[in-house]
Amino acid sequence: MAAAVKALNAKIRSNPVSDYLCSTHFWGPASNFGIPLAAVLDTQKDADIISGRMTLALAGYSAVFMRYSMMVTPKNYLLFGCHIVNFSAQMTQGYRYLKYWNFGGREASLEAQAKEGLGTVENKAKEALDKVKEQLPK
Amino acid sequence: MSSRFGLRFFHNARQSMLRSQQRFASSSPAVGTNAVPPNPAAGNAGQGRVAQLWNSPVGPKTVHFWAPVMKWGIVLAGVSDFARPAESLSLSQNLALMGTGLIWTRWCFVIKPRNIFLASVNFLLFCVGATQTSRIFLYHQSLKDSTLGEEAKKAAKEEGHLIEGMVKDPQGALKRAEKA
């Protein structure tokens, strides 16, 4: 068993591509991509699930890690790219958060919801009326 | 354990600074009376140590210090979010934080040199993400009175649909982002 593992490891380390893909230099930054992906998915949802503090913390974290990735040895360009993407995503969410809470976005969305609710009520009333009309003897 | 690691690190940095200063002093004897002794200022050992820490290659003047500090900021922001109601939490973000915390905790033990300090940050990040995720799932479960497995499947399906929609219609996705 141990010999098989050793043989497999030797095979992995001999090829530079597979050596990189099976190293922490790849998987650390790769796992970090979950954060910007989550932010991008969240742009499609309501703005009231955005946490302002978390967005600010993540933006600052990505800004610092963009520099950190270039200051470690060896330089980690994948980490750098991941944090550029994350910084932009968090800025987008930050914009949506500010628009929602500080610049009238919440009022606009509540208004839209109210109008939608009103429209639904009207539709249901019309349907009910039609049903009653059908039931009436001709 | 983490503080011992940190102290050892700073101790090594201080040693190397002292050695380099001594080397500089000895190689230029013409400097004479103005040669700076290794421990400057009032001869107070505490003050000297503070100056050494301040000037350390992983000290507050470098990004190697502030990078883990920013990661602690995320943990603190997550902890402050415990006060927010479960219905206004983002499932995908907390899942992502949980996953990245878990993976980075493991890798901090595997890399050389082992960074227990960074591992502790990431472990706490995992705990925060896991707490928030379970809060969201329990909330949805209580609403619909279904099981955890069903809720997980439904959430995965919803996120999948979102991704599909964004890929097929990026313009619509942009509009939806601007509206909300």
Side-chain angles (χ1 to χ4, degrees), chain A residues 46-48 99-101 103-119, chain B residues 179-180:
Chain A
D46 287 338
D48 56 3
K99 188 169 163 211
Y100 188 76
W101 290 105
F103 296 108
R106 185 159 178 260
E107 286 72 22
S109 92
L110 287 174
E111 206 182 303
Q113 275 176 22
K115 280 205 189 114
E116 203 182 303
L118 220 68
Chain B
K179 169 189 67 132

Side-chain angles (χ1 to χ4, degrees), chain B residues 9-31:
Chain B
F9 207 46
F10 287 133
H11 186 63
N12 286 339
R14 181 167 167 248
Q15 298 275 351
S16 62
M17 292 295 277
L18 279 173
R19 258 180 267 127
S20 59
Q21 273 178 347
Q22 281 170 356
R23 234 178 294 144
F24 183 75
S26 65
S27 70
S28 51
V31 178

Side-chain angles (χ1 to χ4, degrees), chain A residues 43-115:
Chain A
T43 58
Q44 301 300 297
K45 303 179 194 158
D46 287 338
D48 56 3
I49 63 162
I50 305 176
S51 159
R53 278 188 217 117
M54 180 61 87
T55 306
L56 186 66
L58 284 170
Y61 158 74
S62 281
V64 173
F65 266 70
M66 280 202 285
R67 171 147 173 86
Y68 181 64
S69 62
M70 291 291 112
M71 294 301 288
V72 292
T73 335
K75 293 190 195 195
N76 200 325
Y77 293 101
L78 187 60
L79 193 65
F80 183 66
C82 169
H83 284 295
I84 283 189
V85 172
N86 193 29
F87 185 75
S88 327
Q90 300 303 330
M91 284 286 126
T92 306
Q93 286 292 79
Y95 165 78
R96 289 181 75 224
Y97 176 81
L98 289 172
K99 188 169 163 211
Y100 188 76
W101 290 105
N102 296 10
F103 296 108
R106 185 159 178 260
E107 286 72 22
S109 92
L110 287 174
E111 206 182 303
Q113 275 176 22
K115 280 205 189 114

Side-chain angles (χ1 to χ4, degrees), chain A residues 24 28 31-32 34 38 40-45 48-51 53-54 58 60-61 64-65 68 96 99, chain B residues 64 67 70-71 74 78 80-81 84 88 90 92-93 96 100 103-104 111 159 162-163 166 173 176-178 180:
Chain A
T24 178
S31 68
N32 259 344
V40 166
L41 288 177
D42 279 351
T43 58
Q44 301 300 297
K45 303 179 194 158
D48 56 3
I49 63 162
I50 305 176
S51 159
R53 278 188 217 117
M54 180 61 87
L58 284 170
Y61 158 74
V64 173
F65 266 70
Y68 181 64
R96 289 181 75 224
K99 188 169 163 211
Chain B
H64 299 279
M70 297 309 284
K71 209 143 195 190
I74 302 180
S80 79
D81 272 357
R84 291 180 81 215
S88 57
S90 159
S92 49
Q93 184 175 76
T100 189
I103 296 182
W104 276 72
I111 57 172
E159 302 288 337
L162 268 181
I163 298 181
M166 287 179 80
R176 219 173 320 149
E178 277 173 16

